[in-house]
C-alpha cells in the first residue's frame, strides 16, 4: 500500500468537534497481500435520531486515507451491532469514496446533513487536503516520498558543503566591500553554478523579507541559507513558488510560468526548450488551470510535483536487489596469502587470453636474448675484448628483430577481421587488444633499442678503441686495422643507419603519444603543427624508411660475415609482405568500391552524417567500422569511423564528429553544398541527392572496409548492455537497428513456418540459411544507454530512436537517454523541466529534451544501479557489456563488470572501444 498507514479515531458529537488521537500504527510494506496489515483511519460520527440512545447514537466509519483519496472500508454501529439502512450514511459513504452521486434522488441530496459537510471538512483538514501547515499529512512514507528528495537548490555537484563553507566564501568575497554580498555573486557564495537562476532565487528570498537593494549582509545570508537548505518539501515548494510568483500575489500567471521555463531551460543549457517556452507554458496552464482562471495556486503546483513515480519495483525484485547490495559489500581478506591467491584467481579468470599471449611473447624474447647472449659469450676472441657488452647488445638486437617483425601484425586489419570472422581463434586470442599489443611491442622496441645502442656506443666501441694491439689482433678480420678515432665506428654504414633509425623512431614514438596525437600540448604557434592527428599519421609512415635502413643495417654487420647468419631479413620477410599485401588490397578495394553520396546532414554538436550507396558485395556486421577518404580534403589520409547503418539497410552511413583538422575540413566542404532543411527535417544543414539540375555536386568519397571491432560480437550474448558516450553511440545505434531487424526477421520466419505448416511445404533451399541465421543470433534482451552533454546531440539519431521505439513491440530493447547538461532529477533547476517532460510525453508521446519517443534522464547514470538491475533481472546469465567512448569511463565500467561477475551469478563480459 503506497499511502501512509495509521489508525486515528475521529469523534463528532452534536455541534461540538472533538479530536482524539490514538497511538499511530505503521504496518508492513511487503509480504503476501492477504497477510498485509492494512492501516486505516477510523472515524465515529453521531447521526441524530430520535429513537437512538446515547450509545446508539454513534457509528464507526473505517476509512483508507491516502494522499489524494479517501476510500470507505466499513460502516458499523459503535456497539458492534448491525447498522440499519440510513440515507444520510449512504450519502456519507459515497461522498467519502468520491463516487458519483448521479442517479440519487434530489430528495436524498436535500436531506444531507450539514454535520456531514462539517465531518468532510475535518477529514480534509486531517488528511492534508487543507493547506494549513499545522494539518500537514506526513508524506515520508507515502507514494510521493520521492518528491521529498526533490526541489533541492544545491546539488552535490555544486559543492555547497553546508553553512561553514558558505560563510567562508562570504568572508572571502566581502573582504573588500565592507561585509556586503552583491546579488551578482550570490550564486558563487552559496555554491550554485547557474548565476541567472541564483539571481532569481535571491530576488524571491529578498522579496519574501521585504528587502530592497541588490546586496545583503551575513545575517540575511544566513536566513537565506536556512531556507535554501531546509529539508522540508513544503518549504522548498514555497521557495520555488515564490521564485515563479514575481509579483508576490500568491498566484502564478502564464507569463510568469513562461519566464521560469525559459530560466530553467537556460540553466540546463536546453536551447530547444527555451525557444518553445511559450508553447510549454500554455501546456502547464492547460493542465493546472482547467477552469481558465488565468492563474494557478501553490496547491496546483504541488499536485503536479507529487505525482506518483512512473515505475515501481516489484517486491521480489526489491528483495533480490537488497540481497544483492548486501552481497556486493566489500570484504577485506586479512590473511595476505589468501588475499593474494584470491586476487590472482580473479585476475587469471578475467585476463587468461591476455596472460597466455603475453607469456608466450615474453618467453620467446627471453629465449632469443639468452640464445644470443650465450652464443657471443662462447666466442672467446670477441668476448675477450668486448666482454658482456657485446652479449647484451646482440641479445637485445635479436629481440628487436622479432619485435620489428610482429609489430606489423596487429595493424594488419584485414587479416585480423578474417581471423575473427572465419575462425574460432577469437575464443583464445584477444583480437580486441590488437592496438594495445601494438603499443606494448613499441615499448619493448624502445627498450631494446636503448640497450643495443648504449651497449655499442658506450661500451663496445670504447673497449675496441682502448684495447692493446695484442688484444685487438683477432678483431682485425671484423673491424680492420685498429683506429685511433672513436668516429671510425660511428661513421660506418652500420653506425649511420642505426643512428638515423633511432632518430626516426623517436620522432614517430613521440608524436604518437596521446598528448601530441590529441593536440593537448600547449606549444608556440609555429610548433603547433607538430601536434594533432595529421602529425601522428605522417610521422608513423616514416616506418618505410626505418624498415629499409633496418635491412641494410642487418646486412652490414661487423661481427657476422656469413649470409645465412644475417637473419634480420628472415624475421621481416613474412610480416612485411603480409602488410604490403594489406595495403595493396586496401588501395585496390577502395578504388573499385566507388560510393555515391545520397544524403548529407550537419547536426548540432558539429556532427556530419553521410549516407552513401552500398557497393556490391560490401558485407559487414553491426559494430564494425570502415575507413573514409575525401580527396577534396586530403588525397592520402584515411580515417576510421563506425558504421551506423544496419547490415540489412540498403545504404551505408557514418556520423563524423568534428574533433580535428581533417574532420573540420570535411564538414566545411560538405556544408558548402548543403542548405537549410525544409519540411520539418532534422539537422542544421541538409542536402539530398535529387535527379536533374538541382542535384548537389558532392565531393568524391572513397571507403575501405569493413574491419572488425569489439562490438560486432554482441550476437554471442542473449543479454547485452550497450553504452555509448557522445559520438561513441555510433556502433551501438547500428547494433540496436540490427537487433530490431533480426527480431522482425525471426518473427516473419516463424509466421511463414506456421503458414507453410498449414499446407505449404517449406522450401528446402531457404531453410538452412535461415536456421543458421537464427542459430547465430542469440540476443533476446538489450539495454542501450546513451550519455551526451548537449540536447542537440539527440538530433543525430532522432529518426532511428523513434523507429526502434515503434518497431520494438515486444520491448526487447530498453532505451535510456541521459543528458548531462541537465541538473539531476530532484534539483529545483530541473524540476520544471521534469514536470514539462511528464506532461508533454503523456499528451503527445514526445520527450521535450530529446525530441524522440524515448524519455530522457537527467545528469549521469548511476552505473552500479544499472549493473544491479541487470543482475537482478538476469540471474545465471552471461551479459555482454559493450562500451564506446572516451577512455575516462572505461575503468569504472570494467571494474563494475568484474565486481558483479565475481560476487553474483550473472557474468559480465566487458568490451571497449575508445576514440
Amino acid at each position: 500500500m503506497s499511502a501512509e498507514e495509521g489508525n486515528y479515531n475521529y469523534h463528532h458529537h452534536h455541534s461540538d468537534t472533538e479530536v482524539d488521537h490514538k497511538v499511530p500504527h505503521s504496518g508492513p510494506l511487503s509480504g503476501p497481500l492477504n497477510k498485509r496489515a492494512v492501516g486505516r483511519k477510523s472515524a465515529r460520527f453521531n447521526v441524530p435520531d430520535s429513537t437512538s440512545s446515547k450509545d446508539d447514537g454513534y457509528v464507526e466509519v473505517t476509512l483508507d486515507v491516502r494522499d489524494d483519496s479517501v476510500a470507505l472500508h466499513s460502516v458499523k454501529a459503535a456497539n458492534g451491532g448491525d447498522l440499519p439502512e440510513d440515507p444520510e450514511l449512504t450519502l456519507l459513504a459515497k461522498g467519502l469514496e468520491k463516487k458519483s452521486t448521479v442517479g440519487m434522488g434530489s430528495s436524498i441530496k436535500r436531506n444531507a446533513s450539514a454535520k456531514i459537510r462539517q465531518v468532510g471538512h475535518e477529514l480534509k483538514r486531517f488528511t492534508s487536503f487543507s493547506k494549513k501547515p499545522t494539518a500537514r499529512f506526513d508524506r515520508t512514507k507515502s507514494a510521493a516520498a520521492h518528491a521529498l528528495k526533490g526541489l533541492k537548490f544545491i546539488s552535490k555537484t555544486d559543492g555547497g558543503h553546508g553553512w561553514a563553507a558558505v560563510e567562508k566564501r562570504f568572508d572571502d568575497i566581502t573582504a573588500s566591500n565592507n561585509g556586503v554580498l552583491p546579488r551578482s555573486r550570490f550564486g558563487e557564495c552559496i555554491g550554485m553554478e547557474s548565476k541567472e537562476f541564483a539571481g532569481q532565487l535571491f530576488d524571491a528570498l529578498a522579496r519574501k523579507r521585504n528587502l530592497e537593494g541588490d546586496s545583503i549582509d551575513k545575517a540575511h545570508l544566513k536566513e537565506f541559507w536556512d531556507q535554501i537548505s531546509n529539508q522540508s518539501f513544503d518549504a522548498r515548494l514555497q521557495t520555488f513558488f515564490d521564485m515563479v510568483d514575481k509579483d508576490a500575489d500568491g498566484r502564478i500567471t502564464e507569463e510568469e510560468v513562461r519566464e521560469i521555463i525559459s530560466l530553467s531551460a537556460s540553466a540546463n543549457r536546453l536551447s530547444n526548450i527555451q525557444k518553445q517556452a511559450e508553447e510549454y507554458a500554455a501546456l502547464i496552464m492547460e493542465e493546472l488551470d482547467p477552469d481558465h482562471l488565468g492563474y494557478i495556486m501553490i496547491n496546483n503546483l504541488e499536485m503536479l510535483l507529487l505525482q506518483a513515480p512512473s515505475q515501481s519495483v516489484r517486491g521480489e525484485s526489491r528483495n533480490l536487489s537488497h540481497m544483492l547490495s548486501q552481497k556486493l559489500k566489500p570484504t577485506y581478506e586479512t590473511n595476505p596469502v589468501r588475499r593474494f591467491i584470491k586476487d590472482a584467481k580473479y585476475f587469471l579468470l578475467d585476463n587468461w587470453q591476455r596472460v597466455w599471449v603475453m607469456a608466450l611473447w615474453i618467453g620467446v624474447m627471453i629465449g632469443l636474448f639468452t640464445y644470443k647472449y650465450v652464443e657471443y659469450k662462447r666466442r672467446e676472441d670477441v668476448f675477450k675484448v668486448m666482454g658482456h657488452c657485446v652479449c647484451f647488445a646482440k641479445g637485445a638486437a635479436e629481440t628487436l628483430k622479432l619485435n620489428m617483425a610482429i609489430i606489423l601484425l596487429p595493424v594488419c586489419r584485414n587479416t585480423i577481421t578474417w581471423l575473427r570472422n572465419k575462425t574460432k581463434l577469437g575464443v583464445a586470442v584477444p583480437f580486441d587488444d590488437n592496438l594495445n599489443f601494438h603499443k606494448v611491442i613499441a615499448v619493448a622496441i624502445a627498450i631494446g633499442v636503448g640497450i643495443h645502442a648504449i651497449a655499442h656506443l658506450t661500451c663496445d666501441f670504447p673497449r675496441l678503441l682502448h684495447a692493446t694491439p695484442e688484444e685487438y689482433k683477432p678483431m682485425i678480420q671484423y673491424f680492420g686495422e685498429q683506429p685511433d678515432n672513436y668516429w671510425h665506428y660511428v661513421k660506418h654504414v652500420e653506425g649511420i643507419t642505426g643512428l638515423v633509425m633511432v632518430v626516426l623512431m623517436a620522432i614517430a614514438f613521440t608524436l604518437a603519444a596521446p598528448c601530441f596525437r590529441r593536440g593537448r600540448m600547449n606549444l608556440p604557434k609555429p610548433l603547433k603543427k607538430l601536434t594533432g592527428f595529421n602529425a601522428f599519421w605522417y610521422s608513423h609512415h616514416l616506418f618505410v624508411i626505418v624498415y629499409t635502413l633496418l635491412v641494410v643495417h642487418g646486412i652490414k654487420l661487423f661481427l657476422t660475415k656469413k649470409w645465412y647468419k644475417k637473419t634480420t631479413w628472415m624475421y621481416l620477410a613474412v610480416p612485411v609482405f603480409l602488410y604490403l599485401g594489406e595495403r595493396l588490397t586496401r588501395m585496390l578495394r577502395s578504388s573499385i568500391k566507388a560510393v555515391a553520396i545520397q544524403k548529407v546532414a550537419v547536426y548540432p554538436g558539429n556532427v556530419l552524417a553521410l549516407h552513401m550507396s552500398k557497393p556490391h558485395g560490401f558485407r559487414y556486421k553491426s559494430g564494425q567500422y570502415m575507413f573514409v577518404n575525401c580527396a577534396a580534403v586530403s588525397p592520402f589520409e584515411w580515417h576510421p569511423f563506425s558504421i551506423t547503418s544496419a547490415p540489412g539497410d540498403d545504404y551505408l552511413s557514418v556520423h563524423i564528429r568534428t574533433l580535428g583538422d581533417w574532420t573540420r575540413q570535411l564538414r566545411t566542404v560538405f556544408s558548402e553544398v548543403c542548405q537549410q532543411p525544409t519540411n520539418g527535417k532534422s539537422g542544421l544543414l541538409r542536402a539530398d541527392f535529387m535527379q536533374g539540375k538541382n542535384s548537389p555536386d558532392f565531393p568524391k568519397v572513397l571507403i575501405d572496409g569493413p574491419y572488425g571491432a569489439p562490438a560486432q560480437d554482441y550476437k554471442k550474448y542473449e543479454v547485452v548492455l550497450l553504452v555509448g558516450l557522445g559520438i561513441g553511440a555510433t556502433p551501438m545505434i547500428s547494433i540496436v537497428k540490427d537487433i530490431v531487424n533480426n527480431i522482425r526477421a525471426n518473427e516473419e520466419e516463424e509466421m511463414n513456418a506456421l503458414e507453410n505448416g498449414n499446407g505449404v511445404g517449406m522450401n528446402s533451399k531457404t531453410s538452412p540459411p535461415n536456421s543458421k541465421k537464427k542459430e547465430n543470433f542469440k540476443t533476446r534482451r538489450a539495454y542501450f544507454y546513451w550519455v551526451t552533454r548537449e540536447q542537440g546531440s539527440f538530433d543525430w539519431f532522432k529518426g532511428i530512436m523513434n523507429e526502434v521505439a515503434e518497431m520494438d513491440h515486444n520491448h526487447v530493447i530498453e532505451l535510456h537517454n541521459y543528458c548531462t547538461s541537465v541538473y539531476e532529477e530532484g534539483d529545483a533547476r530541473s524540476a520544471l523541466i521534469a514536470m514539462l517532460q511528464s506532461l508533454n510525453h503523456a499528451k503527445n508521446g514526445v520527450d521535450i529534451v530529446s525530441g524522440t519517443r524515448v524519455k530522457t534522464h537527467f545528469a549521469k547514470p548511476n552505473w552500479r544501479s544499472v549493473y544491479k538491475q541487470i543482475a537482478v533481472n538476469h540471474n545465471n546469465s552471461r551479459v555482454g557489456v559493450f562500451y564506446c567512448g572516451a577512455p575516462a569511463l572505461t575503468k569504472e565500467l570494467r571494474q563494475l563488470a568484474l565486481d558483479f561477475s565475481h560476487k553474483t551469478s550473472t557474468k559480465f563480459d566487458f568490451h571497449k572501444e575508445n576514440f
Side-chain angles (χ1 to χ4, degrees):
M1 188 169 107
S2 60
E4 179 198 17
E5 304 183 51
N7 287 342
Y8 295 93
N9 276 3
Y10 301 147
H11 297 274
H12 185 80
H13 183 64
H14 297 289
S15 62
D16 300 327
T17 302
E18 179 182 350
V19 181
D20 180 18
H21 294 276
K22 291 191 176 182
V23 179
H25 165 257
S26 178
L29 295 177
S30 60
L33 186 61
N34 59 349
K35 294 183 180 180
R36 185 178 300 177
V38 181
R40 306 184 186 94
K41 295 182 181 179
S42 58
R44 288 186 179 183
F45 306 96
N46 177 246
V47 182
D49 190 353
S50 58
T51 61
S52 62
S53 63
K54 184 175 181 180
D55 291 336
D56 293 335
Y58 289 97
V59 295
E60 183 172 309
V61 181
T62 305
L63 308 173
D64 286 343
V65 181
R66 304 171 185 267
D67 291 315
D68 53 358
S69 64
V70 181
L72 178 68
H73 187 272
S74 64
V75 181
K76 62 182 180 180
N79 58 11
D82 295 332
L83 187 70
E85 290 289 335
D86 192 293
E88 290 188 355
L89 289 177
T90 303
L91 178 62
L92 174 64
K94 293 184 179 293
L96 290 175
E97 288 185 272
K98 295 187 176 180
K99 293 183 178 178
S100 172
T101 56
V102 176
M104 295 184 65
S106 58
S107 59
I108 296 181
K109 293 182 181 179
R110 287 193 298 271
N111 291 334
S113 173
K115 287 186 173 58
I116 295 178
R117 290 194 297 271
Q118 187 175 359
V119 167
H121 173 74
E122 293 295 324
L123 284 174
K124 288 180 181 179
R125 184 168 69 87
F126 281 100
T127 58
S128 79
F129 289 118
S130 171
K131 298 302 169 187
K132 296 179 182 179
T134 55
R136 280 267 171 205
F137 192 85
D138 181 13
R139 283 185 284 259
T140 54
K141 297 177 184 177
S142 70
H146 74 288
L148 292 172
K149 302 175 183 178
L151 287 179
K152 294 179 292 185
F153 290 91
I154 303 294
S155 70
K156 54 189 177 184
T157 56
D158 285 326
H161 300 307
W163 170 248
V166 174
E167 185 178 25
K168 183 178 183 304
R169 286 195 289 267
F170 177 88
D171 294 336
D172 294 339
I173 294 171
T174 61
S176 58
N177 55 356
N178 301 322
V180 176
L181 178 68
R183 178 184 181 274
S184 60
R185 304 193 68 178
F186 176 67
E188 177 188 349
C189 184
I190 65 174
M192 180 176 285
E193 291 180 349
S194 45
K195 292 183 179 179
E196 189 177 353
F197 196 91
Q200 295 294 332
L201 178 60
F202 178 95
D203 294 341
L205 296 171
R207 193 164 51 239
K208 194 73 174 178
R209 291 163 177 77
N210 297 318
L211 298 177
E212 296 182 356
D214 288 342
S215 59
I216 54 173
D217 57 18
K218 185 183 288 189
H220 284 125
L221 177 64
K222 183 65 167 68
E223 291 182 23
F224 284 15
W225 178 255
D226 288 341
Q227 184 170 344
I228 292 170
S229 58
N230 194 324
Q231 296 300 308
S232 166
F233 174 73
D234 297 329
R236 295 176 188 168
L237 177 66
Q238 186 64 57
T239 302
F240 186 75
F241 186 87
D242 292 341
M243 283 186 64
V244 187
D245 183 22
K246 292 188 176 182
D247 55 5
D249 62 350
R251 300 174 178 181
I252 301 177
T253 64
E254 185 170 343
E255 178 62 22
E256 289 172 328
V257 171
R258 187 192 64 75
E259 289 184 15
I260 197 66
I261 289 175
S262 181
L263 179 64
S264 297
S266 175
N268 293 280
R269 298 189 287 280
L270 300 173
S271 57
N272 292 349
I273 294 178
Q274 201 168 2
K275 295 174 185 175
Q276 298 176 272
E278 188 171 343
E279 175 188 340
Y280 292 138
L283 178 65
I284 285 184
M285 295 303 293
E286 178 185 342
E287 175 72 18
L288 300 185
D289 182 26
D291 298 328
H292 305 290
L293 301 175
Y295 61 84
I296 59 177
M297 306 293 288
I298 191 171
N299 58 309
N300 303 123
L301 193 64
E302 181 183 28
M303 180 182 68
L304 190 61
L305 287 169
L306 292 183
Q307 289 179 350
S310 58
Q311 294 181 348
S312 60
V313 181
R314 298 191 306 272
E316 181 182 359
S317 295
R318 184 171 57 227
N319 293 335
L320 285 172
S321 180
H322 177 70
M323 292 167 59
L324 191 58
S325 298
Q326 297 294 323
K327 195 173 184 180
L328 286 170
K329 285 184 177 179
T331 55
Y332 184 76
E333 179 60 65
T334 55
N335 188 309
V337 176
R338 282 202 293 262
R339 185 169 66 248
F340 175 79
I341 294 173
K342 180 181 177 182
D343 293 343
K345 173 188 172 184
Y346 284 146
F347 179 81
L348 290 174
L349 285 173
D350 299 327
N351 301 281
W352 66 270
Q353 293 174 313
R354 300 180 182 91
V355 168
W356 86 261
V357 171
M358 291 295 295
L360 176 63
W361 173 61
I362 292 172
V364 172
M365 282 201 302
I366 292 174
L368 290 174
F369 185 91
T370 305
Y371 164 71
K372 277 296 176 182
Y373 190 97
V374 172
E375 178 185 339
Y376 275 85
K377 190 175 180 182
R378 289 176 178 175
R379 293 181 62 171
E380 296 181 2
D381 52 347
V382 176
F383 185 77
K384 186 176 181 181
V385 178
M386 303 168 73
H388 291 280
C389 299
V390 72
C391 299
F392 275 99
K394 291 300 181 179
E398 202 68 17
T399 64
L400 278 171
K401 295 175 189 177
L402 171 71
N403 290 327
M404 288 297 289
I406 64 175
I407 197 172
L408 294 174
L409 299 180
V411 292
C412 290
R413 298 185 181 91
N414 287 301
T415 303
I416 291 176
T417 302
W418 184 85
L419 288 173
R420 71 188 301 163
N421 290 345
K422 303 297 184 181
T423 70
K424 299 294 185 181
L425 287 177
V427 177
V429 180
F431 289 121
D432 294 344
D433 289 330
N434 61 321
L435 291 183
N436 289 332
F437 190 46
H438 179 78
K439 295 172 185 177
V440 170
I441 297 172
V443 173
I445 289 174
I447 295 172
V449 168
I451 296 173
H452 182 75
I454 291 171
H456 274 324
L457 296 175
T458 66
C459 187
D460 286 337
F461 294 166
R463 287 173 72 100
L464 287 169
L465 195 62
H466 297 100
T468 64
E470 188 65 27
E471 291 174 335
Y472 187 81
K473 191 174 181 179
M475 298 292 102
I476 295 176
Q477 59 177 322
Y478 304 120
F479 298 98
E481 295 296 329
Q482 185 175 17
D484 55 0
N485 188 346
Y486 175 83
W487 296 106
H488 169 81
Y489 301 105
V490 178
K491 67 183 182 181
H492 192 273
V493 174
E494 192 172 40
I496 294 173
T497 55
L499 290 176
V500 173
M501 281 192 295
V502 169
V503 172
L504 294 180
M505 285 194 287
I507 293 172
F509 286 12
T510 302
L511 297 183
C515 56
F516 281 92
R517 182 165 51 90
R518 297 181 180 274
R520 296 172 182 166
M521 294 293 291
N522 293 321
L523 297 176
K525 199 167 185 179
L527 299 177
K528 198 67 177 174
K529 290 187 177 180
L530 295 178
T531 65
F533 185 84
N534 288 347
F536 155 75
W537 178 260
Y538 289 116
S539 65
H540 242 57
H541 283 76
L542 293 173
F543 81 92
V544 177
I545 303 174
V546 170
Y547 276 89
T548 303
L549 294 176
L550 181 60
V551 173
V552 175
H553 187 83
I555 293 173
K556 297 291 185 178
L557 293 177
F558 282 118
L559 297 174
T560 304
K561 300 301 180 182
K562 296 177 181 179
W563 71 270
Y564 58 85
K565 289 193 174 181
K566 299 178 180 181
T567 56
T568 302
W569 66 273
M570 300 179 187
Y571 278 96
L572 300 179
V574 174
V576 167
F577 275 110
L578 180 63
Y579 184 79
L580 289 175
E582 286 260 337
R583 296 304 294 261
L584 182 62
T585 301
R586 290 177 58 180
M587 184 176 65
L588 294 175
R589 185 171 56 188
S590 62
S591 60
I592 294 172
K593 292 184 178 179
V595 293
I597 301 297
Q598 297 177 342
K599 183 173 65 176
V600 176
V602 179
Y603 290 109
N606 292 322
V607 168
L608 172 69
L610 298 179
H611 289 242
M612 59 199 83
S613 62
K614 184 191 291 186
H616 179 71
F618 189 93
R619 296 183 179 87
Y620 65 97
K621 297 181 179 181
S622 289
Q624 292 185 331
Y625 66 95
M626 65 183 182
F627 280 82
V628 176
N629 169 272
C630 181
V633 177
S634 173
F636 305 110
E637 292 186 47
W638 292 80
H639 293 261
F641 299 101
S642 296
I643 303 173
T644 52
S645 54
D649 295 335
D650 58 357
Y651 64 91
L652 283 175
S653 67
V654 290
H655 286 66
I656 302 170
R657 186 164 193 181
T658 303
L659 294 173
D661 297 339
W662 188 87
T663 52
R664 190 177 299 111
Q665 294 175 33
L666 185 72
R667 181 180 183 272
T668 300
V669 297
F670 275 101
S671 296
E672 292 173 355
V673 299
C674 293
Q675 298 176 351
Q676 294 288 339
T678 56
N679 301 326
K681 293 183 178 179
S682 62
L684 302 175
L685 297 170
R686 290 181 70 96
D688 297 333
F689 177 75
M690 297 175 290
Q691 298 294 335
K693 296 181 180 179
N694 295 327
S695 179
D697 186 16
F698 290 117
K700 184 180 179 181
V701 169
L702 300 177
I703 64 170
D704 173 49
Y707 293 106
Q712 74 175 62
D713 295 327
Y714 82 93
K715 289 185 179 182
K716 298 178 181 178
Y717 301 93
E718 290 190 358
V719 182
V720 293
L721 170 60
L722 310 172
V723 180
L725 197 61
I727 197 64
T730 48
M732 309 308 167
I733 288 293
S734 177
I735 290 174
V736 166
K737 289 181 66 180
D738 193 37
I739 291 174
V740 172
N741 291 343
N742 274 281
I743 292 171
R744 183 169 58 182
N746 287 343
E747 291 176 352
E748 292 176 357
E749 183 183 344
E750 290 174 0
M751 291 180 63
N752 291 336
L754 290 175
E755 292 176 1
N756 293 332
N758 290 334
V760 182
M762 290 190 68
N763 190 339
S764 60
K765 293 182 180 180
T766 59
S767 179
N770 290 341
S771 59
K772 183 179 180 182
K773 179 180 179 181
K774 195 169 182 179
E775 181 183 352
N776 291 339
F777 184 75
K778 296 182 179 179
T779 308
R780 293 294 175 265
R781 183 69 166 155
Y783 299 86
F784 175 45
Y785 285 79
W786 184 18
V787 185
T788 185
R789 279 197 304 266
E790 302 167 357
Q791 181 186 16
S793 302
F794 295 112
D795 286 348
W796 304 347
F797 308 115
K798 181 185 293 186
I800 297 172
M801 301 291 276
N802 286 331
E803 181 185 354
V804 171
E806 292 171 7
M807 291 174 57
D808 185 20
H809 305 296
N810 296 327
H811 306 291
V812 173
I813 304 172
E814 193 172 297
L815 302 174
H816 296 272
N817 292 339
Y818 280 81
C819 187
T820 58
S821 71
V822 185
Y823 287 94
E824 62 186 348
E825 295 178 14
D827 194 290
R829 285 159 289 189
S830 62
L832 205 62
I833 305 299
M835 292 161 53
L836 275 173
Q837 186 186 48
S838 298
L839 287 176
N840 197 68
H841 201 275
K843 181 179 180 180
N844 304 316
V846 177
D847 179 65
I848 62 172
V849 178
S850 66
T852 69
R853 295 181 60 183
V854 182
K855 289 188 73 173
T856 303
H857 305 280
F858 302 160
K860 297 178 181 178
N862 183 334
W863 294 113
R864 178 167 285 274
S865 297
V866 171
Y867 275 83
K868 183 193 293 186
Q869 177 195 355
I870 295 174
V872 167
N873 294 340
H874 304 281
N875 283 320
N876 302 310
S877 298
R878 183 167 291 276
V879 180
V881 182
F882 298 91
Y883 168 67
C884 182
L889 192 57
T890 303
K891 183 178 179 181
E892 180 183 358
L893 293 178
R894 176 186 283 120
Q895 190 58 50
L896 285 170
L898 296 178
D899 289 346
F900 278 82
S901 296
H902 297 163
K903 298 187 178 182
T904 70
S905 62
T906 307
K907 305 305 176 188
F908 292 85
D909 293 342
F910 181 76
H911 310 267
K912 59 93 177 176
E913 186 176 351
N914 297 136
F915 55 78

